[in-house]
């Protein structure tokens, strides 16, 4: 039995690696280009009735009106995303990449958003340090660290790296507003279920049907300092999500793992969470999220995958 389990795990891992590499090789943007220049416009991402699966995942986000406080935030917010597997952080076939581009334009110049490979933690750290170093003296003061407003999100190995990166920031005494994990697959040597105490709030979205199944639970290392918003299980048997941004092999053997990543309802919840965190005004926040662990969430039949499965989002503390 143990040997069979190992074979299944190895096969699933190979499928994920091959599918990630295949997608990245086919549509990745040149690394010489800086994605912060936003070659992707809001109009190109939010085109109506797009056949592109990654863009379709963000259509609900596109339909939301930017809040009035968006361009006049009290302090700068840094949003860091991590793609899964061996995907390129410039690969526009991943909603994580497009989401960061939307955030940069939606809240410029008070919000910075960048996506990294889950193997590029040091590059992400340099990026954060550069933004926090307000006086450009090459050293982060205690005041600069305390002023940090950081959100981290990721899918698969990127979700595992999300927690690892938050833990690295803890080492430097840098706080994190929010971590968002999408169908976490644990990277070797990491503990993605244990949320470090420098994180204010954390949420976990997962599914339990594919070869690769996301971790079903996250918990706070210090319950007094970290709010676990919830662990939300998604199910797509009756309302499948389009995953044409992945090769046939991945769609056939590992589709549920990618349906979470492509679910418009999930990204709608993520943007609502971020908006609640970057606003200090309680009256701007959407309704409370259902505080239930391992709740089974099904997309609505009216728009598969893009309903309001987790009734909009928790108030920040």
């Amino acid at each position: 039995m143990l040997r069979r389990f190992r074979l299944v795990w190895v096969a699933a891992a190979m499928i994920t690696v091959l599918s990630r590499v295949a997608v990245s090789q086919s549509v990745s943007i040149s690394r010489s280009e800086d994605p912060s220049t936003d070659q992707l416009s809001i109009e190109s991402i939010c085109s109506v009735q797009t056949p592109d699966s990654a863009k379709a995942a963000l259509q609900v986000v596109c339909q939301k009106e930017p809040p009035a406080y968006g361009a006049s935030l009290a302090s700068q917010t840094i949003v860091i995303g991590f793609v899964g597997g061996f995907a390129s952080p410039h690969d526009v076939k991943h909603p994580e990449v497009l989401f960061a581009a939307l955030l940069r334009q939606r809240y410029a110049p008070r919000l910075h958003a960048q996506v990294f490979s889950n193997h590029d933690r040091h590059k992400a750290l340099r990026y954060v340090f550069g933004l926090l170093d307000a006086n450009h003296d090459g050293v982060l003061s205690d005041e600069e660290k305390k002023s940090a407003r950081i959100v981290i999100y990721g899918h698969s190995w990127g979700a595992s790296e999300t927690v690892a990166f938050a833990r690295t920031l803890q080492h430097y005494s840098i706080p994190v507003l929010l971590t968002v994990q999408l169908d976490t697959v644990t990277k070797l040597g990491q503990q993605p279920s244990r949320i470090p105490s420098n994180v204010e709030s954390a949420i976990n979205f997962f599914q339990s049907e594919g070869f690769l199944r996301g971790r079903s639970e996250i918990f706070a290392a210090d319950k007094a300092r970290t709010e676990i918003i919830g662990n939300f299980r998604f199910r797509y048997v009756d309302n499948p999500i389009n995953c044409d941004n992945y090769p046939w092999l991945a769609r056939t053997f590992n589709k549920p793992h990618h349906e979470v990543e492509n679910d418009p309802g999930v990204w709608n919840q993520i943007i609502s969470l971020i908006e609640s965190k970057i606003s200090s005004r309680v009256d701007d926040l959407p309704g409370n999220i259902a505080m239930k662990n391992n709740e089974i969430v099904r997309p609505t039949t009216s728009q598969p995958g893009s309903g309001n499965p987790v009734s909009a989002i928790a108030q920040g503390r």
Side-chain angles (χ1 to χ4, degrees):
M1 180 64 71
L2 181 59
R3 183 179 180 183
R4 181 179 297 177
F5 174 80
R6 288 175 177 172
L7 288 174
V8 170
W9 189 92
V10 170
M14 290 178 65
I15 290 171
T16 300
V17 169
L18 289 173
S19 63
R20 293 284 187 177
V21 171
V23 173
S24 297
Q25 288 177 341
S26 61
V27 293
S28 60
I29 300 174
S30 170
R31 287 185 177 272
S32 63
E33 296 180 8
D34 181 2
S36 65
T37 57
D38 280 329
Q39 295 90 350
L40 292 167
S41 66
I42 289 180
E43 290 74 17
S44 68
I45 298 173
C46 297
S47 56
V48 179
Q49 296 181 338
T50 174
D52 187 301
S53 299
K55 292 180 180 180
L58 299 176
Q59 289 307 298
V60 179
V61 176
C62 289
Q63 293 167 15
K64 292 170 67 71
E65 287 292 331
Y69 55 76
S72 57
L73 301 176
S75 59
Q76 294 192 23
T77 301
I78 303 171
V79 180
I80 300 295
F82 290 105
V83 287
F86 293 98
S88 165
H90 310 291
D91 190 340
V92 297
K93 286 295 184 181
H94 291 279
E96 303 94 291
V97 177
L98 300 179
F99 184 68
L102 279 179
L103 288 177
R104 283 194 296 268
Q105 297 181 64
R106 187 181 179 96
Y107 297 108
R110 304 302 295 172
L111 182 146
H112 303 272
Q114 192 62 277
V115 181
F116 297 89
S117 160
N118 62 76
H119 307 285
D120 281 340
R121 189 186 316 169
H122 294 297
K123 185 183 295 185
L125 194 62
R126 290 195 300 270
Y127 177 76
V128 169
F129 279 8
L131 291 173
L132 293 181
D133 185 14
N135 59 6
H136 307 292
D137 66 351
V139 178
L140 289 185
S141 66
D142 290 341
E143 190 62 32
E144 287 171 331
K145 292 177 181 180
K146 290 178 182 178
S147 67
R149 299 174 60 81
I150 298 173
V151 174
I152 315 170
Y153 68 92
H155 171 252
S156 192
W157 274 357
S160 182
E161 186 62 30
T162 291
V163 180
F165 188 61
R167 192 167 287 115
T168 297
L169 294 177
Q170 181 186 37
H171 174 76
Y172 293 98
S173 301
I174 297 174
V176 174
L177 283 176
L178 172 71
T179 58
V180 179
Q181 295 170 249
L182 282 73
D183 220 38
T184 306
V185 175
T186 305
K187 291 180 68 179
L188 185 64
Q190 294 184 350
Q191 295 179 306
S193 292
R194 183 182 174 89
I195 308 302
S197 58
N198 64 320
V199 176
E200 182 178 295
S201 300
I203 191 168
N204 179 42
F205 301 101
F206 71 99
Q207 57 76 37
S208 301
E209 295 167 340
F211 272 113
L212 287 182
R213 302 180 178 186
R215 296 190 70 88
S216 61
E217 184 178 8
I218 59 173
F219 60 90
D222 186 343
K223 293 181 180 180
R225 301 183 65 179
T226 302
E227 171 198 21
I228 301 299
I229 298 171
N231 298 282
F232 296 95
R233 177 186 169 195
F234 283 72
R235 192 168 175 193
Y236 299 101
V237 173
D238 298 325
N239 292 284
I241 301 293
N242 185 8
C243 293
D244 287 346
N245 51 335
Y246 279 91
W248 173 87
L249 191 65
R251 297 198 309 270
T252 301
F253 295 101
N254 204 30
K255 186 178 180 183
H257 182 60
H258 305 303
E259 285 180 301
V260 175
E261 180 189 16
N262 282 351
D263 187 340
V266 169
W267 290 104
N268 184 38
Q269 302 308 320
I270 294 173
I271 187 63
S272 296
L273 266 173
I274 291 175
E275 287 178 351
S276 75
K277 284 296 180 183
I278 64 180
S279 169
S280 59
R281 293 169 50 190
V282 175
D283 58 345
D284 278 335
L285 304 185
N288 289 335
I289 197 170
M291 299 290 288
K292 296 179 181 178
N293 284 341
N294 298 321
E295 176 183 355
I296 297 178
V297 181
R298 295 179 177 84
T300 62
T301 55
S302 60
Q303 189 173 355
S306 63
N308 204 11
V310 187
S311 68
I313 259 31
Q315 294 186 15
R317 293 180 179 177

